[in-house]
Amino acid sequence: MNLDDLMNLRFSPALGWPAGIAIAAVMIGLAVALVVVHRHRSGNSDETVWACARRCAICVIIALMALTPSTVTTTTSRAVNTTDVVIATDVTGSMAVDDAQYGSAQTITRLDAAKKAINDLTTIYDNSSFAAVHFGASATLDVPLTPDTAAIRNWASGLSPEPTAISSGSTLDAPIDPLLVALKSMRSTHPQDKIVLFYISDGEQTSDKSRRTFSSLRQYLDDAFTLGVGSEQGGQIPEIKAGPTDSPSDQPAQDNQDWVKDPATGAPGISKMDKKNLTDIADEMSGKCILLDGTHKLGKSSVSALSKHWRSVETPKRRQRVMPMVWPLSIALAVLLAFELASWIGMSRRLL
């Protein structure tokens, strides 16, 4: 025990203050009683002053042990705030339209542009965890929260537009329910984390149902983005047949391509990116809408700068740790009890 330990010494009864004080009071009372009895019987007893002092010391040590002398040390821990990135990607049939661009003049399908954006997100948020949802006729949490960026890239590479036969029209609010469940769980499990949502879609709503608001997600989010893919000029929607190769790359638009027909005219329908819907959804989440085109991709947008703001922040937290220091008292008590035992044995032999 050094000088610093002595300066930080305090009582912290292991049995609690009520029990500690009660035991200490009884033992101090016994010590006082031993002194009074010794003085009263002085000359009429063979008890020596050393024996009386030894027994009083035993009582005092037990009283101190009941109060548990302790040292207080200050420790510093670090709570790490990281970023949880949640990606919700549209896989409705209109995502197969070949009118999107992503940072170049090359025209690709909207879903391929979404895949490129997802790959860039895993690079931009390289110290983060990810969760992934796809939505079409229904929505599913495909990848629970994980720091494995390779899992997200593999998930993105396997995305394909849903077959035309099962499509019931684009419903932009389809991912709200699984997102609510996932975001609530993430916020309760990792309350220090920053949560950012990326909603990737062409913004086209063809369902007759009214769209629900995304404002219910706002309570769990630190930031949100809607990423628009496609063009406002639009393009024809290829008919996607069910099967193991339902990706836009496997079903290119050719002269013999079957197109989704407009029920009103019987001609191939035209799907257009709806900037207004994407902007409205971003506003409902207090976020920002980014339209991805030939001159804009995520690496050059404000998303990159924002990721540096949220990336792994360490916050020092000071805590006090109480360490019992009863071992010196235990040693002293053991020595005194040994003397007491030796004294008792010696007296017993003399009385034989």
Side-chain angles (χ1 to χ4, degrees):
M1 182 183 297
N2 54 35
L3 183 59
D4 290 337
D5 290 336
L6 292 175
M7 294 294 292
N8 293 325
L9 196 63
R10 68 173 63 174
F11 291 115
S12 181
L15 300 177
W17 280 104
I21 291 175
I23 295 173
V26 170
M27 298 312 298
I28 295 299
L30 287 176
V32 172
L34 285 171
V35 173
V36 171
V37 170
H38 176 76
R39 294 190 62 179
H40 181 72
R41 296 169 56 184
S42 179
N44 298 321
S45 173
D46 59 353
E47 183 185 48
T48 63
V49 173
W50 157 241
C52 180
R54 183 175 65 239
R55 291 160 186 166
C56 288
I58 290 174
C59 292
V60 171
I61 289 175
I62 294 175
L64 290 174
M65 292 178 69
L67 295 176
T68 316
S70 305
T71 59
V72 179
T73 57
T74 301
T75 61
T76 301
S77 62
R78 294 185 178 273
V80 178
N81 299 335
T82 188
T83 306
D84 298 333
V85 180
V86 182
I87 302 171
T89 305
D90 189 347
V91 294
T92 54
S94 62
M95 292 293 285
V97 175
D98 191 8
D99 68 337
Q101 294 177 322
Y102 188 77
S104 71
Q106 179 186 6
T107 301
I108 56 178
T109 67
R110 298 173 184 177
L111 191 56
D112 282 341
K115 293 178 181 181
K116 290 179 179 290
I118 294 170
N119 285 335
D120 281 347
L121 285 175
T122 60
T123 301
I124 293 168
Y125 293 92
D126 56 342
N127 292 330
S128 304
S129 296
F130 291 82
V133 174
H134 85 271
F135 64 95
S138 61
T140 305
L141 176 66
D142 297 322
V143 184
L145 192 65
T146 175
D148 187 0
T149 55
I152 297 298
R153 294 191 187 102
N154 290 336
W155 166 79
S157 66
L159 289 175
S160 60
E162 64 183 7
T164 305
I166 69 170
S167 178
S168 58
S170 299
T171 305
L172 297 176
D173 61 9
I176 289 179
D177 291 335
L179 283 175
L180 271 174
V181 174
L183 293 174
K184 183 178 180 180
S185 175
M186 291 161 59
R187 180 59 73 199
S188 61
T189 306
H190 307 286
Q192 301 298 325
D193 287 5
K194 305 298 181 183
I195 303 179
V196 183
L197 172 64
F198 288 89
Y199 178 94
I200 309 175
S201 175
D202 54 22
E204 188 176 45
Q205 170 96 5
T206 59
S207 174
D208 295 334
K209 298 180 181 178
S210 299
R211 180 179 66 81
R212 291 182 293 164
T213 178
F214 281 71
S215 59
S216 57
L217 305 180
R218 191 167 51 205
Q219 60 185 312
Y220 304 112
L221 297 174
D222 293 284
D223 214 337
F225 295 87
T226 55
L227 305 181
V229 290
S231 68
E232 294 184 272
Q233 292 75 33
Q236 296 179 350
I237 310 170
E239 185 173 341
I240 308 297
K241 296 180 174 60
T245 57
D246 287 331
S247 69
S249 300
D250 295 327
Q251 297 189 10
Q254 300 175 350
D255 292 339
N256 60 351
Q257 171 70 56
D258 292 328
W259 306 100
V260 176
K261 300 293 193 299
D262 184 341
T265 63
I270 302 298
S271 171
K272 300 179 181 181
M273 180 184 67
D274 194 320
K275 177 181 177 181
K276 183 180 184 305
N277 279 339
L278 292 170
T279 302
D280 289 345
I281 292 173
D283 289 342
E284 290 164 8
M285 297 187 293
S286 298
K288 180 181 179 182
C289 176
I290 299 175
L291 302 181
L292 305 176
D293 54 30
T295 57
H296 296 90
K297 64 178 187 177
L298 292 186
K300 297 180 181 179
S301 71
S302 59
V303 174
S304 179
L306 185 63
S307 71
K308 295 176 183 177
H309 175 69
W310 293 129
R311 186 172 296 147
S312 299
V313 178
E314 294 187 353
T315 306
K317 293 184 178 180
R318 295 176 65 85
R319 292 183 175 88
Q320 288 188 333
R321 184 180 180 185
V322 179
M323 297 289 294
M325 295 290 292
V326 296
W327 62 267
L329 297 175
S330 300
I331 293 174
L333 180 62
V335 171
L336 292 174
L337 289 175
F339 274 106
E340 189 68 20
L341 178 62
S343 175
W344 180 82
I345 292 174
M347 182 179 293
S348 297
R349 287 182 176 181
R350 287 196 301 270
L351 294 175
L352 289 176

